[in-house]
Amino acid sequence: MKFGGTSVADIDRIRNVARHVKREVDAGNQVAVIVSAMSGKTNELVGWCSQASPLHDAREYDAVVASGEQVTSGLLALTLQHMGVQARSWQGWQIPILTSQAHGSARIEGIDGSEIVKRFTEREEVAVVAGFQGLHKDTGRITTLGRGGSDTSAVAIAAAIGADRCDIYTDVDGVYTTDPRIVPRAKKLDKVSFEEMLEMASLGAKVLQVRSVELAMVQGVRLFVRSSFDDPDNPTEGTLICDEEEIVEQQVVTGIAYSKDEAQITLRRVADKPGVAAGIFVPLAESNINVDMIIQVVSNDAHTTDLTFTVPSAEYARAVKILEDARDVIGYEQLEGATDVVKISAIGIGMRSHAGVASAAFKALAEKGINIRAITTSEIKFSLLIDKDYTELAVRTLHSLYGLDKAA
Ligand code: ASP
Ligand code: MG
């Protein structure tokens, strides 16, 4: 069972979490619980690090930001004990959860779950594990897994102890066909395949950390996304994230995602010759800027071409600077940029076997007068870059087009 920051935001909510845990223990289950820091806590800790030293030592940053989970794991263990449930807290280094040395975004390399499992049987003890943190063995230092990393901790622990299921409790009661704040008629999905969830998570649905879904897919951990705000004695089912074989009735499109964290860059009149794309994208990659959509226009004069691509909006200024600095090397006439754009995506494994899925969207958006700036497609999704002002209209249009609106 994993509980996110809003679920453990104060002592009352931690008590509510403990009731969820007690229900599972009373039902005869052996339980490991992974907790996040209280909501807002990690942001506060990150802020303190920047104030103390703008260019901070990443090892000390991890020592500071890992502390939020130390608090909630101890508090939940205390609360469980108070309810008569055997429990103890585990910090990442105590298990240990071994990670790479990439402080601030470490990767889990191995977990020895045997002591936790032993205590399940010998002491009927619930393990309350601090999410988000691990240990780099050679240096003996605390690491963290990147923002939202407790989801990944939970999946990794589930795999390490051979759990039957991994329940991610959060502030929504499942995965929806799209953001219900934009489309009130969005439906809760019963099941979503790993591949689809991976796309949804990377394309802007913020329910799960992308890496946790990757790991669950590789390890075959069945994930349930469900609400911690349900009555602990009468919880609802949530959404199961599982292998696509488990999903019998497959929709062509399962969900519509959107991401406002995109910016567009266009280079006009770039020389049309071998090596130019490398000249543009290698420096961006070397600066760790993740380029997403790329469009190159076929040149009409055989000498120059236009190239358009997107970068995360947080990296926009940096990307523009790099390209301006390399202007003479790349050789382009003009750089244009736009940050008032949004990427809308439709996801569904049914797209593999259906033609005309994307073209239906082009037609529907055209009828609403929405201009498409860029398009990318893959086996199970397509993404469209449009003006930000049309976000709601475009999401609603596609949601209805693919029959995802819930019956009124
Ligand atoms: N507390 C960490 C964060 O806010 C990890 C997590 O909640 O998953 O990013
Ligand atoms: Mg989270």
Side-chain angles (χ1 to χ4, degrees):
M1 305 173 80
K2 184 261 171 179
F3 293 89
T6 46
S7 310
V8 294
D10 56 39
I11 300 297
D12 268 347
R13 291 198 183 163
I14 290 178
R15 213 167 274 139
N16 195 58
V17 164
R19 289 194 199 106
H20 280 285
V21 176
K22 187 170 187 309
R23 177 193 69 236
E24 297 296 340
V25 172
D26 290 347
N29 292 309
Q30 299 173 326
V31 185
V33 190
I34 287 74
V35 286
S36 291
M38 291 179 176
S39 63
K41 195 68 204 170
T42 309
N43 287 343
E44 182 182 47
L45 296 168
V46 169
W48 285 347
C49 290
S50 312
Q51 282 174 40
S53 164
L55 285 173
H56 40 247
D57 178 341
R59 295 162 298 188
E60 301 307 344
Y61 166 93
D62 276 352
V64 174
V65 300
S67 67
E69 275 74 8
Q70 174 161 345
V71 173
T72 45
S73 58
L75 287 173
L76 179 58
L78 283 174
T79 311
L80 284 165
Q81 289 171 2
H82 188 70
M83 286 182 177
V85 178
Q86 298 273 8
R88 79 152 271 188
S89 66
W90 293 90
Q91 305 311 302
W93 60 269
Q94 291 171 318
I95 295 178
I97 297 174
L98 298 178
T99 74
S100 69
Q101 201 184 351
H103 284 279
S105 58
R107 297 213 149 237
I108 296 178
E109 289 178 343
I111 299 178
D112 180 359
S114 58
E115 184 61 26
I116 289 179
V117 172
K118 199 169 119 205
R119 285 160 178 254
F120 282 156
T121 38
E122 286 180 4
R123 309 188 189 191
E124 296 185 18
E125 186 182 86
V126 171
V128 185
V129 179
F132 184 49
Q133 48 165 275
L135 169 75
H136 181 247
K137 200 169 178 198
D138 298 343
T139 56
R141 306 222 43 179
I142 292 172
T143 54
T144 63
L145 308 179
R147 299 306 306 271
S150 301
D151 293 339
T152 302
S153 308
V155 173
I157 292 279
I161 63 176
D164 297 319
R165 53 191 286 175
C166 177
D167 291 3
I168 308 271
Y169 286 81
T170 176
D171 49 4
V172 292
D173 60 355
V175 179
Y176 278 73
T177 47
T178 194
D179 187 342
R181 286 169 303 182
I182 288 198
V183 184
R185 286 195 286 173
K187 274 183 296 197
K188 188 170 82 179
L189 293 158
D190 292 334
K191 291 180 179 179
V192 182
S193 73
F194 287 125
E195 281 93 343
E196 289 168 326
M197 194 61 224
L198 203 51
E199 293 282 9
M200 288 187 198
S202 9
L203 294 169
K206 294 196 169 63
V207 201
L208 290 172
Q209 197 200 30
V210 176
R211 273 166 60 193
S212 69
V213 184
E214 262 165 21
L215 190 63
M217 183 159 101
V218 172
Q219 300 277 347
V221 174
R222 299 170 84 237
L223 284 181
F224 286 83
V225 174
R226 49 197 304 186
S227 171
S228 68
F229 297 129
D230 280 352
D231 175 3
D233 297 318
N234 194 13
T236 52
E237 264 293 289
T239 301
L240 170 64
I241 315 210
C242 60
D243 225 79
E244 64 181 88
E245 272 83 68
E246 265 196 67
I247 303 172
V248 191
E249 253 186 83
Q250 198 51 249
Q251 292 260 341
V252 177
V253 171
T254 310
I256 311 291
Y258 67 94
S259 161
K260 293 185 172 172
D261 309 324
E262 309 281 324
Q264 176 190 333
I265 294 177
T266 299
L267 298 178
R268 297 269 181 220
R269 299 190 158 273
V270 187
D272 194 11
K273 59 173 196 234
V276 170
I280 295 166
F281 296 117
V282 170
L284 294 175
E286 280 170 351
S287 306
N288 273 318
I289 296 176
N290 214 339
V291 173
D292 181 24
M293 309 170 114
I294 303 178
I295 303 166
Q296 185 181 333
V297 179
V298 177
S299 59
N300 52 11
D301 59 3
H303 300 301
T304 63
T305 182
D306 289 351
L307 220 136
T308 295
F309 54 91
T310 61
V311 296
S313 38
E315 308 287 5
Y316 176 69
R318 217 153 59 85
V320 168
K321 171 97 175 52
I322 292 168
L323 294 167
E324 279 172 355
D325 289 349
R327 180 172 181 160
D328 290 343
V329 187
I330 303 168
Y332 59 87
E333 208 173 276
Q334 201 181 326
L335 187 156
E336 291 163 15
T339 50
D340 51 350
V341 293
V342 63
K343 185 174 69 177
I344 313 273
S345 308
I347 300 119
I349 42 179
M351 277 189 215
R352 280 194 203 123
S353 47
H354 283 80
V357 182
S359 56
F362 305 155
K363 187 157 171 280
L365 295 178
E367 280 164 6
K368 302 269 161 141
I370 300 174
N371 184 41
I372 300 169
R373 292 164 169 258
I375 305 167
T376 54
T377 63
S378 79
E379 241 197 334
I380 66 160
K381 71 127 209 278
F382 65 84
S383 298
L384 310 171
L385 195 70
I386 62 167
D387 289 352
K388 211 173 243 173
D389 288 347
Y390 291 109
T391 310
E392 279 80 10
L393 182 60
V395 171
R396 281 197 204 111
T397 302
L398 298 189
H399 198 264
S400 312
L401 175 68
Y402 297 116
L404 299 174
D405 289 346
K406 113 179 126 197

